[in-house]
Amino acid sequence: MRLPDIWTGLGFAILGIFVVLQAQGFPEPAGAASPRLFPRIVGSGFVLFGLLIAGRSLAARMQGAEVRLLPEVEDWMRSPKRVARILFIPLAIVLYGLLAPVLGSLPVSVVLVLVSALLWDERPIAAAVVSIAVCLAVTLFFIEVMRVPLPTGPFPGSLF
């Protein structure tokens, strides 16, 4: 399925606006590049290029070109598992953003990686072991090497 450019562009622009607005709440230390800088640059790029894509599509439609506004349903879209695999990615990003501050980064990421593995037909025991190991390694990398304070939720200490 190819989503029409107008909707793809507007989607990226809306995502960029959301990122820029969320970055406003990040701390801004005096005299240094703040944690706001990178999300603002990326979000602004999403807005700019998203609007350019949507505008180009709209201009082509106004000039008489045959520009679709609705996506075409293809054969692979008739499989619920395939659709779930695709929809899970943005859903997981939103769920992590909403649940990690409340429940902690590590437990939320383990569950999301496990569900993703199960959607791709991995064996449950292997999926659980790999989810725990990978999420623990990534969490430790972010905390110890990158010095990124991940949300702990109700758990004490920085591991969660």
Side-chain angles (χ1 to χ4, degrees), residues 25-89:
F26 294 174
E28 189 167 5
S34 73
R36 293 182 186 187
L37 181 62
F38 186 67
R40 286 165 111 178
I41 291 171
V42 171
S44 298
F46 272 40
V47 171
L48 175 68
F49 291 112
L51 291 176
L52 286 173
I53 291 169
R56 187 181 69 183
S57 177
L58 188 59
R61 183 174 172 83
M62 291 174 71
Q63 291 176 355
E66 189 175 324
V67 176
R68 293 180 297 114
L69 291 179
L70 297 175
E72 295 176 18
V73 176
E74 297 180 17
D75 288 338
W76 68 266
M77 295 170 68
R78 300 187 201 295
S79 166
K81 184 168 255 187
R82 288 181 177 173
V83 172
R85 288 173 178 166
I86 290 173
L87 293 178
F88 181 74
I89 296 169

Side-chain angles (χ1 to χ4, degrees), residues 12-37:
F12 273 101
I14 290 168
L15 178 64
I17 290 168
F18 176 77
V19 168
V20 169
L21 291 176
Q22 286 297 106
Q24 297 299 84
F26 294 174
E28 189 167 5
S34 73
R36 293 182 186 187
L37 181 62

Side-chain angles (χ1 to χ4, degrees), residues 37-146:
L37 181 62
F38 186 67
R40 286 165 111 178
I41 291 171
V42 171
S44 298
F46 272 40
V47 171
L48 175 68
F49 291 112
L51 291 176
L52 286 173
I53 291 169
R56 187 181 69 183
S57 177
L58 188 59
R61 183 174 172 83
M62 291 174 71
Q63 291 176 355
E66 189 175 324
V67 176
R68 293 180 297 114
L69 291 179
L70 297 175
E72 295 176 18
V73 176
E74 297 180 17
D75 288 338
W76 68 266
M77 295 170 68
R78 300 187 201 295
S79 166
K81 184 168 255 187
R82 288 181 177 173
V83 172
R85 288 173 178 166
I86 290 173
L87 293 178
F88 181 74
I89 296 169
L91 179 65
I93 293 168
V94 170
L95 286 174
Y96 180 85
L98 293 174
L99 297 176
V102 177
L103 301 174
S105 179
L106 185 58
V108 171
S109 61
V110 167
V111 170
L112 292 175
V113 171
L114 176 62
V115 170
S116 177
L118 295 175
L119 276 173
W120 286 93
D121 299 326
E122 295 297 327
R123 292 176 303 201
I125 303 277
V129 170
V130 170
S131 297
I132 292 168
V134 167
C135 291
L136 187 60
V138 169
T139 299
L140 287 172
F141 175 77
F142 271 90
I143 291 171
E144 299 299 326
V145 177
M146 301 295 291

